[in-house]
Amino acid sequence: MSVRFVINALDFVRKAGERHGKIQLADLERIQDFLHENSGDVEYRINGIVGRDNKPYLQLQINGEMHLCCQRCLGSLVHQLEIQTSLLLVETEAELIQADEDETVDALLAIADMDVQDLIEEEIILSLAISSRHKEGECDVYDSKRYKATENSDSESPFSALESLKKIR
């Protein structure tokens, strides 16, 4: 298990903090249900900056490769992570509500003990599709040509046995 990295968000920005490293996918508890296998890691870089608008921001970059579980065939689906986001830090709930009204800005409540690993995991989850699937025709189980061939075949229907039971009554 990796060592957790906790920051005071506003202090991190004031000091122009910068940190980078790797996190094992096995250490990210909330993404386990999305994964086909949890081997490997993701690289991250987090910077604290004051933006052109003189407001505090955390810039986050996450890169890596994950093997998600395809929701169609349940096989392995390779997913490249290339996340770059800038998060506005706000000090109060009222500022957060106001910032949420602006769809061009992602805001985050600045807290004194922000767990960077939790933040990274949340950004990964937000970047995933609602239902991760291979492209049409790429699944191992779903082969459209094979499906159409069996659909149009003259073989006996699996329900023909039920039809014969219906005739007995």
Side-chain angles (χ1 to χ4, degrees), residues 16-143:
E18 182 177 329
R19 180 80 183 246
H20 60 91
K22 292 183 179 184
I23 299 174
Q24 298 295 314
L25 289 173
D27 291 339
L28 301 173
E29 294 176 20
R30 293 184 292 158
I31 68 165
Q32 296 306 306
D33 289 341
F34 297 96
L35 298 176
H36 188 266
E37 56 186 72
N38 68 355
S39 61
D41 53 41
V42 293
E43 294 181 17
Y44 72 90
R45 176 176 298 280
I46 186 168
N47 298 321
I49 65 163
V50 176
R52 291 182 182 154
D53 56 3
N54 287 328
K55 293 182 180 178
Y57 288 87
L58 290 178
Q59 288 185 326
L60 186 59
Q61 181 177 0
I62 306 166
N63 295 302
E65 183 177 278
M66 300 169 54
H67 292 268
L68 301 175
C69 188
C70 173
Q71 297 302 303
R72 184 180 292 132
C73 71
L74 302 179
S76 180
L77 170 65
V78 177
H79 177 71
Q80 292 294 326
L81 286 173
E82 295 177 359
I83 301 169
Q84 291 188 356
T85 189
S86 187
L87 302 166
L88 170 65
L89 294 174
V90 296
E91 296 184 55
T92 66
E93 293 283 340
E95 288 177 304
L96 186 61
I97 292 169
Q98 183 180 5
D100 282 343
E101 292 174 5
D102 183 357
E103 293 182 11
T104 63
V105 175
D106 289 328
L108 186 64
L109 192 60
I111 57 175
D113 57 349
M114 182 179 291
D115 187 325
V116 174
Q117 182 170 312
D118 285 346
L119 178 63
I120 290 168
E121 186 171 28
E122 189 167 321
E123 289 300 318
I124 291 171
I125 291 170
L126 289 171
S127 77
L128 298 176
I130 292 172
S131 179
S132 300
R133 294 180 286 193
H134 289 105
K135 292 179 183 174
E136 195 68 36
E138 290 184 6
C139 285
D140 293 335
V141 173
Y142 181 75
D143 182 354

Side-chain angles (χ1 to χ4, degrees), residues 155-167:
S155 65
E156 191 172 321
S157 167
F159 297 104
S160 62
L162 294 175
E163 183 66 30
S164 64
L165 289 174
K166 186 176 174 184
K167 291 178 183 176

